[in-house]
Amino acid sequence: MQVLHDAPLAPLTTFRLGGPATRLITATTDAEVIEAVREADAAGTPLLVIGGGSNLVIGDKGFDGTALRIATRGVELSGTTLELAAGEVWTDAVARTVEAGLAGVECLSGIPGSAGATPIQNVGAYGQEVSATITEVVAYDRTAGETVTLTNAECAFSYRHSRFKDEPERYVVLRVRFALEDAGGLSAPVKYAETARALGVEAGDRVALATARDTVLKLRAGKGMVLDPEDHDTWSAGSFFTNPILTDTDFAAFRARVRERLGADVEPPAYPAGEGRTKTSAAWLIDKAGFTKGYGAGPARISTKHTLALTNRGGARTEDLLALAREVVAGVREAFGVTLVNEPVTVGVSL
């Protein structure tokens, strides 16, 4: 277990932002993770768990406590069952499932971060979510002081949400187990319209796993959503805002605002999100409120490739990023009466 003091945290995040931690521990085994958590809890020391750092916005003052970087490794693939240590690089694990001819997470290729973060956020993209394939999550329960195994149902997954996100101070994910599908080298049925168009197939069709993965990687790269140290459009947390889910009443009011602002023939994006609820597009809202690709004049700007990504153009501070985020939130609220919610976890700061 490596222990550093007054350790920079910015290099551990995809934003490359944030001040130092009082102490940084890098744990390479589950036992080391548990030991570090127990020690911090016993001492009453604030604890920040870091995986791939792709979903973190850390304040410029840093973190006054113990930052625990989970660097555990382990991939166990048996038949269609996959178990990943929390510190495994997610996109590498997806590549291994594709190579093994197993379907279920191929459209989640290119998503930065660690395997342990995927159930927390219920990571999803291009028509797939990890909640569809996760069977169990092994975690250290800080309240009970023991290791527990939670079933899929016990994880309480919903859109970009889970029990782990509801109780952020309780669980530290150690391992994630998945049930994948052997479809003879074919992907899961393609659900997302953009993916289907790029593949030249109909929704519900299957394609070769490698083709699905390559297509998703190209789509993501075109939006600056595949990490590249030389491309500042990827110095981000991916989608900074979640897609709003509105009640029927709120959606009707939103639709009226759209027509008033953009014209009577304009219809906003609308997707069923359960009884009495409709999901709309955060990217569409941001763009139509006047925040187009590349918006901004300072070191933090909207990506030149995708309006949902806020980026560090080099030399930014966290406050620069937050100022831009607040401007976008206020502008969308003023234009359409919808309040955007940030997807990344904020540490020591808030919108």
Side-chain angles (χ1 to χ4, degrees), residues 100-300:
L102 299 176
V105 294
E106 62 279 359
C107 289
L108 304 179
S109 297
I111 293 177
S114 63
T118 61
I120 298 171
Q121 191 75 3
N122 186 16
V123 163
Y126 297 100
Q128 289 182 344
E129 289 182 329
V130 292
S131 57
T133 51
I134 287 177
T135 56
E136 294 178 329
V137 175
V138 179
Y140 178 70
D141 183 340
R142 297 168 67 184
T143 300
E146 62 184 15
T147 300
V148 297
T149 300
L150 287 79
T151 65
N152 182 290
E154 289 171 329
C155 292
F157 291 120
S158 59
Y159 172 67
R160 300 297 176 270
H161 206 74
S162 69
R163 180 176 184 174
F164 309 106
K165 204 168 181 181
D166 265 336
E167 302 179 80
E169 302 299 319
R170 180 169 181 179
Y171 297 102
V172 177
V173 175
L174 301 174
R175 297 186 171 268
V176 189
R177 295 173 181 148
F178 301 81
L180 304 175
E181 178 190 7
D182 184 348
L186 296 179
S187 69
V190 177
K191 295 181 179 179
Y192 200 66
E194 183 183 12
T195 314
R197 285 195 300 271
L199 288 164
V201 300
E202 298 294 324
D205 288 349
R206 294 177 185 260
V207 299
L209 277 165
T211 301
R213 179 175 183 270
D214 290 346
T215 299
V216 165
L217 286 172
K218 288 175 183 175
L219 288 171
R220 290 186 64 85
K223 299 173 183 178
M225 298 292 185
V226 176
L227 289 179
D228 178 352
E230 303 303 317
D231 183 0
H232 282 281
D233 276 326
T234 72
W235 290 31
S236 75
S239 298
F240 196 88
F241 300 104
T242 58
N243 290 321
I245 296 178
L246 308 175
T247 64
D248 286 346
T249 300
D250 288 341
F251 187 79
F254 162 57
R255 191 164 173 253
R257 291 280 286 270
V258 168
R259 291 183 167 188
E260 177 184 342
R261 182 181 178 91
L262 303 177
D265 59 339
V266 176
E267 288 290 342
Y271 312 97
E275 186 175 353
R277 298 166 74 82
T278 301
K279 180 167 66 176
T280 192
S281 166
W284 188 91
L285 285 164
I286 293 166
D287 182 71
K288 297 303 181 185
F291 302 100
T292 53
K293 295 174 185 176
Y295 178 88

Side-chain angles (χ1 to χ4, degrees), residues 30-41:
D30 290 353
E32 289 181 353
V33 172
I34 293 169
E35 179 186 346
V37 174
R38 283 178 171 167
E39 179 188 283
D41 288 348

Side-chain angles (χ1 to χ4, degrees), residues 271-348:
Y271 312 97
E275 186 175 353
R277 298 166 74 82
T278 301
K279 180 167 66 176
T280 192
S281 166
W284 188 91
L285 285 164
I286 293 166
D287 182 71
K288 297 303 181 185
F291 302 100
T292 53
K293 295 174 185 176
Y295 178 88
R301 304 178 196 174
I302 290 176
S303 166
T304 65
K305 299 182 179 74
H306 199 299
T307 52
L308 259 186
L310 307 188
T311 66
N312 172 10
R313 310 313 294 186
R317 298 173 303 119
T318 301
E319 276 306 312
D320 297 320
L321 175 77
L322 294 176
L324 175 61
R326 292 173 186 135
E327 183 183 1
V328 171
V329 170
V332 168
R333 185 189 298 120
E334 180 181 357
F336 300 113
V338 175
T339 300
L340 295 176
V341 176
N342 53 291
E343 188 168 327
V345 175
T346 54
V347 177

